Amino acid sequence: MSTVSPDTRPPDAQDWEAVQASPDFVELRRRLRRFVFPMTGLFLVWYLVYVLLADYAHGYMSTKVIGNINVALIFGLLQFVSTFVITMLYVRYANKDLDPQAKKIRDELEGADK
């Protein structure tokens, strides 16, 4: 039977509670929320505007732009584009502002500095 030394034991519930209460983790959550909440709100407003225009501005949305391509089709395709743009922005933000902080917390929790 093998025993685990205190230096190599896996994190337990008390360790996780301590991490959640730590200033580093609080800062990580603040950074995540600083990106996620505004971006979610912006996307939902953009989507709501698209839906409202599609429902109440038939004349505007059916305006032909090029051939059979109308404003509604362009706005619909821009929904997909905005999703990809938000994803790219999040990946860049996470790589720069979230991942280093998360790595620091993980290393402290796992005892990588030992």
Side-chain angles (χ1 to χ4, degrees):
M1 194 161 97
S2 159
T3 60
V4 177
S5 73
D7 292 340
T8 60
R9 69 174 175 75
D12 60 11
Q14 287 90 10
D15 294 330
W16 290 111
E17 288 174 7
V19 166
Q20 287 179 349
S22 72
D24 288 337
F25 189 78
V26 170
E27 174 65 16
L28 179 64
R29 283 190 359 210
R30 186 187 68 74
R31 288 179 185 182
L32 176 67
R33 290 176 179 165
R34 189 174 63 200
F35 180 88
V36 170
F37 290 155
M39 196 59 68
T40 300
L42 182 66
F43 181 80
L44 289 175
V45 167
W46 159 235
Y47 182 73
L48 182 63
V49 166
Y50 171 68
V51 170
L52 291 173
L53 285 173
D55 196 32
Y56 296 109
H58 297 283
Y60 174 69
M61 294 296 269
S62 64
T63 302
K64 302 260 184 197
V65 177
I66 301 170
N68 286 332
I69 299 174
N70 59 20
V71 172
L73 181 60
I74 292 172
F75 278 14
L77 293 173
L78 285 175
Q79 291 290 317
F80 290 103
V81 171
S82 65
T83 301
F84 290 116
V85 168
I86 290 170
T87 302
M88 288 183 344
L89 291 172
Y90 176 76
V91 168
R92 186 175 355 160
Y93 182 77
N95 287 339
K96 182 176 148 254
D97 292 333
L98 301 178
D99 291 348
Q101 185 79 10
K103 182 181 181 335
K104 177 183 173 194
I105 294 169
R106 184 177 57 247
D107 288 347
E108 289 172 2
L109 181 65
E110 293 174 350
D113 55 346
K114 294 179 183 176

